[in-house]
Amino acid sequence: MPTFAELRNKAAKMADATGSKITSTRDRMQSQPSKKINWDPDHVKPKPPPPPKPPKPLPPPSRTSSTSSASTVATSQVKPPVPLRRAGSSASPTPSLTRSISQASHSSSTSLTPPLGPPPVIRRDTRPDSVSPPPPAFRSTPSLPRIAEPQAEEADIDRIDWANLSPEDKQIFFSWLDEFFAGYLHVPVPPRTTADTVKNVKVPPGGHTPPPMTGPPQISTGSRPKTPPRPKFGGPSSSDPAAFTMSYPPPTEHGSAGADLAHYFSPHTHWSSAWYADGDRVPPPLKGNGHIAYAGGWESDGRTQTVSGGVLFSDLSMCWYSVSWPQHALSTHDANDTRTVQRRAQYLPCPLPWPRERLVDAHETYGETIAGFAESFEGGDQPCARGECWDLAHEALKYFEQYDYVPKPIQSISRTHGHLIYEGKASDKGRTQLGRWRGGDDRVRRGDIVEWRSARVGTGPLSWSMLGNPDHTAVIVSDMVPRTSVADGMMVRPAEMGTLEVIEQSLGTPPKRARYDLSQFQEGEVWIYRPVGMEAYVGCSQVAPKCPEGMNALSV
């Protein structure tokens, strides 16, 4: 334990250390008095000297200076165009052109010289011999009368009447040329005679030869390579609806297939046989016709027999006909005798295109059901009906027969499936395309039906799909808005339509989804139909042997 004396010594040492620290801190923190500092509170910092003036630019070059100097100054004095202001950006100030002008002026002025008059005469004798060898020395020959003493001025040369040189002058002139090229090419040239130079030249009265040809000689185009044909998108045929025809439906003579059949039953049409009295009793124009829906029948009252029939054609025109003749008439009777054989026929022409409201209403009635019917077979191994492509659309339209509250749609007749919306064709690997829009709707809708004929559609850089052998049917399952505005009767190329998304099947291939871009349509034909009600569009609810009462049908 420390003693009292040790504690007192330790406290004294601590007091000395504290005092020395305080003194040291006071000395460090002590500042110099203001009176000892040479400081002027009113002192103002002098302004910096002005910058030296830029040297005075040199005067612009004279108009008589060289072409290169003038073009340099002219280029430097043209202001650049003001940039356009874009949204969200601020306009930047126009850059100054002072520096570029002064530099251009300086560089141009150094090469300027006062005009020295016309350019010096070029000495032809100083031209190197390597450019062309000198012509051989001419032999002594008589000089041409008109060009023996050429003048220095070019105007004198222009006054030589070259068209009226005499045969002797021409002989001398061409002999000079022969002598020159013989020495230049080192090829001997036989001596020329007057007959070789001028042959069969007849000078008309007056002493002037016929004027020379004014145009160049004709060039033979037989060996010119043939250029590939250009697309005919804008040709006359693409804008003329009357010049646009398709292979389906078959062409008609009187505007519709129904009218053609009605004219066959006209009393003025000659029949070669009494076809109605025996056999299948089908009119000859209908035999072998696979583009119809037909219903026929016959009846007898004991004295008269009557054969009747009703036909719905693929162009959706209709015709009803009947033939009556005596029941006990011989089979060899005259079919053209109007006293014993009575012919009658009535028909409905092709229906007109519908406006947009009716087409949209038909889509809302049938479209979704038809598309859903086709999609129900997608992804499975079971095909629809026989597995033919046509069966998918045909069975979808027949599906409405089980719903009595829905108006029956037009059934598939050959390759027709309702109201025609669009028809188009392509050839020459797509270089030629034609098409026409029909009806008032502005798009292809889900549930529409597409028909192809011998079609080829590109699916990649080196791949394509062949649709139809010759025909192929598919159900559209997605709307397609054309790439251009459309209207009834407007000519629209397939490339302007868009991409079709469909459900399709074929023999050996179950139903599947596919997409076809019509801009890659290269060959063949295409039709697009809108399923519509039979009675609403055609005017008759079904095909029957007799025309319904009250039908506003036409007669021949």
Side-chain angles (χ1 to χ4, degrees):
M1 183 176 181
T3 60
F4 180 78
E6 293 174 351
L7 294 175
R8 184 178 59 182
N9 294 334
K10 189 173 182 180
K13 291 179 180 180
M14 294 179 61
D16 295 339
T18 301
S20 61
K21 289 182 179 181
I22 293 175
T23 302
S24 176
T25 303
R26 182 184 60 188
D27 294 340
R28 287 198 309 269
M29 300 300 295
Q30 195 173 24
S31 61
Q32 188 175 4
S34 300
K35 63 182 181 179
K36 296 182 180 181
I37 299 175
N38 187 13
W39 176 68
D40 187 4
D42 298 327
H43 175 72
V44 178
K45 186 176 181 181
K47 297 180 179 180
K53 295 183 180 181
K56 187 177 181 180
L58 296 176
S62 172
R63 291 183 179 271
T64 59
S65 61
S66 63
T67 304
S68 60
S69 301
S71 61
T72 303
V73 177
T75 303
S76 62
Q77 291 179 352
V78 176
K79 294 183 179 181
V82 180
L84 299 177
R85 180 179 298 181
R86 298 181 180 178
S89 63
S90 60
S92 58
T94 305
S96 175
L97 302 178
T98 304
R99 182 177 181 85
S100 61
I101 294 176
S102 62
Q103 293 178 354
S105 301
H106 177 72
S107 61
S108 301
S109 61
T110 57
S111 62
L112 295 177
T113 58
L116 299 178
V121 180
I122 300 175
R123 295 181 60 186
R124 301 291 183 179
D125 55 355
T126 60
R127 183 166 52 186
D129 295 338
S130 59
V131 176
S132 61
F138 293 150
R139 292 179 296 183
S140 175
T141 54
S143 59
L144 292 175
R146 298 182 184 273
I147 61 174
E149 296 179 0
Q151 303 295 328
E153 297 292 333
E154 294 180 359
D156 296 336
I157 300 177
D158 294 339
R159 286 196 295 270
I160 298 175
D161 193 359
W162 293 97
N164 295 318
L165 291 177
S166 64
E168 292 77 11
D169 294 340
K170 295 179 181 180
Q171 171 67 17
I172 296 172
F173 178 73
F174 285 112
S175 65
W176 286 0
L177 294 178
D178 293 341
E179 185 177 0
F180 169 76
F181 285 107
Y184 181 74
L185 301 175
H186 304 288
V187 176
V189 178
R192 183 185 296 269
T193 63
T194 305
D196 298 333
T197 305
V198 181
K199 185 181 295 183
N200 297 330
V201 176
K202 295 182 180 180
V203 180
H208 295 283
T209 58
M213 288 195 313
T214 57
Q218 295 184 356
I219 301 175
S220 176
T221 59
S223 60
R224 184 174 58 186
K226 295 182 179 180
T227 57
R230 302 185 65 180
K232 302 177 182 178
F233 296 154
S237 60
S238 63
S239 59
D240 184 9
F244 175 68
T245 58
M246 301 284 287
S247 64
Y248 179 87
T252 61
E253 183 179 356
H254 299 92
S256 67
D260 287 355
L261 183 61
H263 278 80
Y264 175 78
F265 284 87
S266 170
H268 304 288
T269 303
H270 178 77
W271 288 358
S272 59
S273 64
W275 56 266
Y276 46 85
D278 54 295
D280 53 10
R281 301 184 178 184
V282 176
L286 299 182
K287 291 185 177 181
N289 190 344
H291 306 289
I292 61 174
Y294 172 79
W298 66 277
E299 59 184 350
S300 175
D301 59 0
R303 294 178 303 173
T304 304
Q305 283 191 350
T306 302
V307 171
S308 59
V311 187
L312 174 62
F313 294 90
S314 57
D315 61 359
L316 300 185
S317 63
M318 295 193 71
C319 181
W320 296 271
Y321 66 87
S322 66
V323 181
S324 300
W325 72 101
Q327 183 173 354
H328 301 289
L330 299 176
S331 59
T332 58
H333 69 275
D334 186 5
N336 299 289
D337 186 0
T338 57
R339 294 173 300 178
T340 57
V341 179
Q342 303 293 325
R343 311 176 187 176
R344 300 180 184 85
Q346 294 175 293
Y347 73 96
L348 292 176
C350 301
L352 298 176
W354 268 3
R356 182 179 186 276
E357 294 75 14
R358 301 195 69 177
L359 287 173
V360 173
D361 182 70
H363 160 71
E364 295 174 350
T365 302
Y366 307 103
E368 185 60 36
T369 302
I370 293 175
F373 179 87
E375 289 176 331
S376 66
F377 291 90
E378 181 186 6
D381 297 333
Q382 183 67 28
C384 177
R386 302 169 299 167
E388 294 280 0
C389 60
W390 185 81
D391 293 344
L392 193 61
H394 176 63
E395 295 298 324
L397 293 170
K398 286 180 58 179
Y399 185 72
F400 291 93
E401 294 179 355
Q402 55 185 309
Y403 302 104
D404 55 359
Y405 58 89
V406 179
K408 299 300 181 288
I410 298 175
Q411 299 298 307
S412 296
I413 306 169
S414 183
R415 297 296 164 177
T416 301
H417 308 278
H419 184 295
L420 180 64
I421 294 292
Y422 177 78
E423 55 183 349
K425 59 183 179 180
S427 61
D428 197 13
K429 295 185 178 180
R431 295 184 181 93
T432 302
Q433 288 190 349
L434 297 173
R436 177 168 50 203
W437 188 266
R438 190 170 184 268
D441 204 353
D442 61 347
R443 67 195 63 192
V444 176
R445 298 184 183 270
R446 175 176 164 87
D448 292 350
I449 299 173
V450 59
E451 191 74 31
W452 308 91
R453 172 163 289 180
S454 302
R456 169 173 165 163
V457 182
T459 56
L462 298 175
S463 61
W464 60 86
S465 294
M466 297 300 299
L467 305 174
N469 187 24
D471 299 305
H472 180 67
T473 311
V475 176
I476 300 172
V477 293
S478 180
D479 290 3
M480 182 188 71
V481 180
R483 298 184 175 101
T484 182
S485 59
V486 295
D488 180 39
M490 178 180 294
M491 303 302 293
V492 182
R493 295 184 293 110
E496 299 173 323
M497 288 292 290
T499 301
L500 291 176
E501 185 174 351
V502 302
I503 299 294
E504 60 184 359
Q505 70 173 12
S506 60
L507 286 177
T509 303
K512 64 177 182 178
R513 188 178 299 261
R515 293 171 59 89
Y516 300 106
D517 186 358
L518 293 184
S519 65
Q520 303 300 316
F521 187 35
Q522 301 173 0
E523 303 285 343
E525 297 173 289
V526 60
W527 298 263
I528 300 177
Y529 295 94
R530 173 72 49 82
V532 293
M534 172 78 175
E535 185 174 6
Y537 189 52
V538 177
C540 181
S541 60
Q542 61 181 354
V543 181
K546 293 184 178 182
C547 181
E549 295 183 1
M551 179 66 60
N552 189 20
L554 304 178
S555 301
V556 177

